[in-house]
Amino acid sequence: MGLMLPGEQPPASGAEHPDHGSLDPADNRTRSSVITARAAHTFEPVGRSVAAARAFVRDTLQGWGFGDVVDDAVVLTSELVTNAVVHAGTAAEVVCLRSGDGVRIEVSDRYPEREIPLQSSGVAMSSPDREGGRGLQLCAALATRWGVEYSPAHKHVWFRLDLPERQVGTRTAGPSVSTELLPLADERVRVAVIQIDSEGAVSAWNDDAQELFGYPAKQIIGKPLTDYAAWPHTPGTSTGIAEALRLSRWEGSYGIRAADGRVVPVYASHLRVRDPQGEPSTVCLLVRDDERAVLATPQRGAAPESAHRADGQSTDPFETFIGSPAPDDLDGLLQRTVERSRDMLDGDAAFLLLATDDETELEVRATTGLPSARQRFARVPVDTGSGRYGTARMPAVHEDLSAVPGAVPLLNGTGMRSVVTVPLKVEGRLTGSLGVAAEGAGRYSNEEALRLQFAADRIALAVESARLGELERLRRGSLSFLVEASDLLAGTLDRDQTLALMAQMTVPTLATWCAVYTIADTASEPYLSYVLHEDEERIDGLKALLGRIDPPEPVPTPGARIWPAPARAAHEAALEASVRSLDDEPHHLGSGIGSTLTTAASVGGETVVLPLVARNRVIGMLVLGKPSEDHFRQENLELAEDLSRRAALALDNSRLYSERMAISQSLQRSLLPPDMPEVPGVEVEVIYRAAGEGNEVGGDFYDLFTIPDGAYGFAIGDVCGTGPEAAAVTGLARHALRLLAREGYSGPAVLERLNNAILDEGERSRFLTLLYGELRPQEDGSALLKVVCAGHPLPLRLRQDGSVEAAAEPQPLLGVMDDLELYEQTVRLEPGDVLLCVTDGITERREGSRMLGDDGLAEVLKGCTGLTAGAVAARVMRAVERFAADSPSDDMAILTMRVPEPQRN
């Protein structure tokens, strides 16, 4: 049973709970008490829930049109939710119930722990300074009625606020102004009326919506609004479009992507309603952002600075201007500042710029009321001329901008006539500039400048603190970005992959699109090597557009410079496409104009060029671009400059690596023997694998060539070591063998002279194992071989019966001793016999402590009876590869010769 508290009336008999249709059982007033709307939300037991509850109640009551009681309701809700989530430590449920003459708000927590003073106790209410009980005191002071209800698991504190008596149609009104001071609008102010169903899809789309955004109703009905909303158009918006559509009432700015690809800034008013079947939907009214006065709810006037809170303490001047709670992010704070400044001076537009570190430029960070958001992140100089009115360091009032063109570059072409600007300073240092503008002339005087300067002084420190916090976060993020970029760029030496990484790291992190130009040498023109856009469907159009204009000038000066050519070309292409479309019949219009306009919109913003300089030479240019009317942040340009230096070095390294690899491979291919001759009556097969990435030739080598008297010389050898040094001795050995053998020297004489040549290399010499022989096919179908095995693995002979034996004896290797006494041995291969010659990369193949060895190779060869020379070589190589899991660390060569058996009739 509920407990009655001070100020509560006893319930009437037969009263219903508010959830069942009656707002207040004891209310006998003549106005309607029937509940017409209900909104509820549960908040977790965390400190930020208090602010969230205030926003929920404010949005709900404003959506119901109960602006007269919003402030009292927010104060009471804040205290009661604080008691629940902070002091009681439980979740809090807030329920708002609307009737025709008032609103009832209930706040429930789950585990009541505090005592409630009873009316009959005679104990006075606690002091306002106490931690507990203050919320109930405020209820008694502000609410029409209030009370507390207990249940075994919940405590409900409720209060009711009645609407004041007022005549029908009375709301709030602005001042009466002369016609010439009214804001300028188009010929016709269009209000788009859009209805969104419970699934977030468009269910209604009026003619004004089609005129504003270019989509016919049949094209957009049934599609989610989130596919077309560019959110948030206004920086600092804490909710998303999906969340805004679920709120009972919402107002604010965002953008709609129009059919031509551009974003139309709009001001929207959302109202959530139910149809007769009870299904929820949202009605959205949208106007152009510069016509927001058509829909915007008038702002509540700021309290005077001398105002005191209910607890007797002075109000913080900062909170007086910004409101409480203040936005906790820089963009939100700046946007709140310009909106409050505009409302304070009854202006049509306002803007806030932040100074760069060197105080030479101002960067636009927040605007309101201007025709578009194109000024965001644009930069203007601090000092635009001599005198007081040419600098942002002093307050300035311009009664008529048409008399001083260019005095405020940000307002050029916006239709604003009068403007007041004041500096933001912290400890005497310029940190920004705040301005309010109006479309009429003579709107502002020194009095308004003093008021605006007073507000700027109150917010300057908070803005600078938030800006420094943002810079610190950006710098930490930049360091992480650069570290990751350096790792990625260092991880490849492939030129094409380096170009792709450069573009992928900048899009969309730093830019909307990117192009990379490369310069082969000082005599070459820049070449468009890579193009990337965050929307893959626009890459082809972007590449075609850049291909039609001259590339940027390769200037080695560091830093980003503006390149207007792409935006100009995009504008001209869009104009030509529009003119062509006017000459065509409607049914002849294709997708060409849409594609052209889309490409133009994506390239029409700011475009910058950063040189790619490596080893004191410009090797290319990195081009970054933004969509129409968009600008780069200075911090992003500095980050892009750091990235371009790292990317230039990586690109040059990949170029040098590619060049050297091409040279290396060309030289290596010159060391390999040309096409081997066909040996009549003998099958010959060679398999060669050089160890190391990119190596085609190593320390192992082979050769087969003709010598006089119808014979053939063959060789297989292994130079100590791998890589280029071993390959040099390989070339020496192969060419010396051919030369000496063709001069008619015998096998031992050839190897002895080669030994002397190797020793003559001095420190560059390498010892060499070599199997050299002369092959002579015989008329009876056999083959006669004379071989010399100088320190090389012995050749193995496979007979038809499957037996395997060594076909030579070991002799000293080359490149060690001066005087060698070598001899040759004769081997006859009968039909069906196979001679297998390998290098030690085959026999020394290891898996842990196991090694294939000569015996293992012989076992593999025994299973090759009846196979061709090519099949024998392939089976041996397959067995070697399977012997160990790791990749081979030594060069490997296999030379097989087989005398085929005669064909039988």
Side-chain angles (χ1 to χ4, degrees), residues 431-499:
T431 60
S433 177
L434 176 62
V436 177
E439 293 177 347
R443 288 280 297 275
Y444 301 117
S445 63
N446 289 339
E447 180 181 353
E448 283 79 13
L450 290 174
R451 290 179 62 195
L452 190 61
Q453 184 67 71
F454 186 77
D457 292 341
R458 295 297 181 274
I459 66 165
L461 187 59
V463 168
E464 180 65 4
S465 176
R467 187 184 76 90
L468 292 176
E470 180 193 64
L471 286 177
E472 181 61 25
R473 289 191 296 273
L474 287 174
R475 283 167 183 161
R476 286 199 300 268
S478 299
L479 289 175
S480 176
F481 173 80
L482 290 175
V483 168
E484 182 179 356
S486 299
D487 288 344
L488 290 173
L489 291 171
T492 179
L493 287 172
D494 181 82
R495 176 182 176 275
D496 293 337
Q497 189 173 1
T498 302
L499 291 172

Side-chain angles (χ1 to χ4, degrees), residues 39 96 100 292 410 470 646 671 698 713:
C96 301
R292 64 167 56 199
L410 180 63
E470 180 193 64
R646 290 165 169 78
L671 299 177

Side-chain angles (χ1 to χ4, degrees), residues 609-624:
V609 179
L610 296 107
L612 299 174
V613 181
R615 297 174 177 89
N616 298 320
R617 186 174 75 85
V618 180
I619 63 170
M621 279 114 17
L622 179 64
V623 179
L624 305 179

